[in-house]
Amino acid sequence: MSVTPPSSPLRLGIAGLGTVGAGVIRLLETNHDLITARAGRALKVVAVSARNRTQDRGVTLEGLRWYDNAVDLATDPEVDVVVELIGGSEGPARALVEAALAAGKAVVTANKALLALHGPALAQSSAANNAPLLFEAAVAGGIPAIKTVREGLAADRLLRIGGILNGTCNYILTVMRETGKDFASVLADAQQLGYAEADPSTDIDGWDAAHKLAILAGLAFGRPVDFSTVHVQGIRHIGAADLDFARKLGYRIKLLGLARMGDAGLEARVTPCLVPEDAPIAQVDGVFNAVVAEGAFAGRLMIEGRGAGAGPTASAVTADLIDIARGNTIPVWGVQTTQADALQACPLSAGKGAFYLRLRVEDRPGVIADITAVLRDCGVSLRSMLQPTPARNDTAPYVPLVLVTHQTSEAAMQDAVARIDALDVVADAPVVIRIETD
């Protein structure tokens, strides 16, 4: 990488002037003296790129070179570091990062989708061109998750990594639990408050959390993860009744991203889970995120904070810029390797776990016996059962039934659920949620 002498400012080109991009400029101005002292040199924005030149972003852009085509930042000889804050796994964001790395320029990005889907190729280009690629802001906003895993735990063999990786889902599940409101109404409220996008599918269907999990797993295990093999399930099917039943059973429901090395290989999944209500991660509510790592020597640790927003994300981006200014860079996945192939996550059916199963069944004798017979035949052992007493004036033909299993194989549970769903006495699709206790 060719840069100006350390005594000169580190010259930045920022692509994307939305909430985060403007936040980075504001942070660099507000904390200029502090950042300069910690970086050992000034950090100076010299060029920018965005779609709208006339929009008021609340920051001064006078004197900066403006590029309508973000990729042109990669060939600007007066830009030392390209900061990509456009977003998206394809289009101008990908083209810019690829061009900047090919040109030997350092890149800082907050683009989790880009890294999750194209991490192997970007890591190869970074190494081949001696161009650092840093992405602290891509996972959990202002929480130093990347540095914790890649640097703080560099001497340890990590056993598992994951946590609450999406603030929108955590907010929705928290409010549903506290108010008893249904999913649709809480989602609408979250959209009005700005906690959920107009199209919330990336968040509520689990993809945002999955992108972050793939990055964390790549860092934890020293190789990028094949994103197509990560199992992803969101929270659309979770009802207010599930949160209430979970409470009665001593649990809370959280959308968790979890990756660990098991007997069958890498397990990597994003799914709603029941966690004991006294577990530390169960106490992480609202829009907050939490990252949990476990090492063979360090044991388990959890870091918590705001996972999104202009301030936290801009802080993480700038921390990466300070590292580059100091000359503190590290391989993308934390290890020097020429291995290009990605880790494949094993099929979901290869795992094991305990499960919560909620059904709506006909209110007549013999139904429970039919269902437990299916579980028995599939080798699934039942730990407990919850059957709420209908109200006196409730004449509905179907009633809720909640079952909790002992540890069993995912394959056996999938088989049992498919058979139970086919029974005439069962209405609607069963709701199945994994229980995480370790």
Side-chain angles (χ1 to χ4, degrees):
M1 180 183 68
S2 175
V3 297
T4 51
S7 58
S8 302
L10 186 70
R11 301 167 302 182
L12 315 176
I14 299 179
L17 294 175
T19 302
V20 177
V24 169
I25 294 175
R26 188 175 300 110
L27 178 60
L28 290 171
E29 292 175 349
T30 303
N31 289 352
H32 176 270
D33 293 344
L34 174 67
I35 291 169
T36 300
R38 290 180 173 171
R41 60 196 295 196
L43 306 184
K44 182 181 179 181
V45 180
V46 297
V48 294
S49 177
R51 286 180 295 184
N52 186 343
R53 291 195 180 214
T54 61
Q55 180 180 340
D56 181 7
R57 297 173 171 87
V59 293
T60 300
L61 302 176
E62 293 180 9
L64 303 182
R65 291 187 298 286
W66 186 288
Y67 292 102
D68 293 317
N69 183 359
V71 179
D72 290 339
L73 287 171
T75 56
D76 186 330
E78 296 187 18
V79 169
D80 300 318
V81 183
V82 169
V83 182
E84 185 278 304
L85 301 172
I86 302 169
S89 61
E90 304 297 338
R94 181 182 179 185
L96 171 60
V97 173
E98 289 177 340
L101 293 175
K105 293 186 186 294
V107 173
V108 172
T109 180
N111 194 332
K112 49 193 167 286
L114 180 68
L115 291 161
L117 273 64
H118 304 295
L122 295 177
Q124 280 190 298
S125 181
S126 171
N129 296 291
N130 192 28
L133 173 60
L134 282 74
F135 45 91
E136 183 63 59
V139 177
I143 303 174
I146 304 298
K147 289 184 184 296
T148 298
V149 176
R150 189 168 57 181
E151 299 170 42
L153 297 171
D156 208 351
R157 181 171 62 88
L158 295 190
L159 307 175
R160 57 184 286 168
I161 190 75
I164 296 172
L165 305 177
N166 183 269
T168 299
C169 288
N170 203 39
Y171 173 82
I172 290 171
L173 292 173
T174 299
V175 175
M176 287 176 67
R177 186 188 78 239
E178 292 176 345
T179 66
K181 292 183 178 179
D182 63 24
F183 173 81
S185 63
V186 176
L187 172 58
D189 291 343
Q191 289 172 314
Q192 285 189 336
L193 293 169
Y195 294 147
E197 302 288 344
D199 177 3
S201 55
T202 300
D203 290 319
I204 64 175
D205 290 332
W207 296 107
D208 175 80
H211 291 147
K212 297 170 186 174
L213 178 66
I215 294 169
L216 288 173
L219 294 169
F221 305 119
R223 283 169 58 194
V225 172
D226 182 343
F227 186 74
S228 67
T229 64
V230 177
H231 175 76
V232 185
Q233 182 184 38
I235 63 170
R236 290 182 190 264
H237 65 294
I238 303 296
D242 295 308
L243 291 143
D244 185 50
F245 288 139
R247 179 186 58 78
K248 291 175 180 176
L249 292 166
Y251 296 99
R252 291 184 178 180
I253 299 177
K254 298 290 183 182
L255 182 73
L256 299 182
L258 294 171
R260 57 188 162 204
M261 284 295 182
D263 295 337
L266 174 65
E267 298 177 23
R269 53 185 169 77
V270 171
T271 57
C273 295
L274 270 71
V275 295
E277 58 187 358
D278 59 352
I281 203 162
Q283 311 306 314
V284 180
D285 282 337
V287 296
F288 280 71
N289 285 192
V291 175
V292 179
E294 183 176 350
F297 279 75
R300 187 172 301 186
L301 62 88
M302 185 179 87
I303 49 178
E304 170 189 357
R306 291 188 176 274
T313 309
S315 176
V317 168
T318 306
D320 279 345
L321 293 171
I322 291 172
D323 272 347
I324 292 173
R326 290 170 172 165
N328 297 340
T329 57
I330 194 168
V332 172
W333 303 112
V335 294
Q336 295 285 2
T337 179
T338 57
Q339 197 167 22
D341 59 316
L343 278 169
Q344 305 280 316
C346 62
L348 187 67
S349 58
K352 295 181 178 180
F355 298 90
Y356 159 103
L357 175 63
R358 176 172 63 83
L359 309 168
R360 279 208 314 137
V361 301
E362 284 188 16
D363 187 15
R364 64 174 177 79
V367 169
I368 292 178
D370 291 343
I371 292 168
T372 55
V374 171
L375 293 172
R376 179 202 62 210
D377 292 345
C378 293
V380 177
S381 174
L382 190 62
R383 191 181 82 191
S384 64
M385 180 176 65
L386 182 62
Q387 188 177 27
T389 303
R392 289 184 179 180
N393 59 351
D394 188 353
T395 58
Y398 293 96
V399 293
L401 176 65
V402 174
L403 307 172
V404 176
T405 77
H406 286 289
Q407 283 275 329
T408 188
S409 71
E410 292 264 8
M413 194 64 197
Q414 290 175 6
D415 184 21
V417 170
R419 295 191 195 188
I420 289 171
D421 191 24
L423 295 175
D424 292 339
V425 297
V426 176
D428 309 327
V431 174
V432 185
I433 306 176
R434 189 183 178 101
I435 299 173
E436 283 291 336
T437 57
D438 60 349

